[in-house]
């Protein structure tokens, strides 16, 4: 699932970053470069990606809790 089209960041990359560095949104953005292009993916209403960044964080947290 694409979270940031400008930087080609996937949900899997968000999950990996959270596994290594915790769930602080700014840290994850810095590590993955999410939102460093057009910034549309930072808006929960973004329709240009499969899963906007705010929802990607929530999904990643849920996935990590189940593992």
């Amino acid at each position: 699932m694409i979270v940031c089209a400008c930087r080609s960041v996937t949900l899997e990359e968000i999950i990996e970053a959270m596994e290594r560095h915790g769930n602080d949104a700014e840290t994850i953005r810095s590590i993955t470069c999410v939102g460093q292009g057009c910034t549309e993916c930072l808006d929960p209403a973004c329709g240009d990606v499969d899963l906007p960044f705010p929802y990607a964080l929530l999904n990643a947290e849920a996935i990590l809790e189940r593992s």
Side-chain angles (χ1 to χ4, degrees), residues 23 27 36 43 53 67:
N23 62 354
T27 300
Q36 293 183 9
D43 182 353
F53 182 64
S67 355

Side-chain angles (χ1 to χ4, degrees), residues 4-26:
C4 177
C6 294
R7 301 293 180 178
S8 300
V9 179
T10 65
L11 178 59
E12 291 77 21
E13 291 172 289
I14 299 293
I15 292 168
E16 288 175 17
M18 289 176 73
E19 284 178 320
R20 293 183 188 150
H21 304 283
N23 62 354
D24 178 67
E26 292 305 313

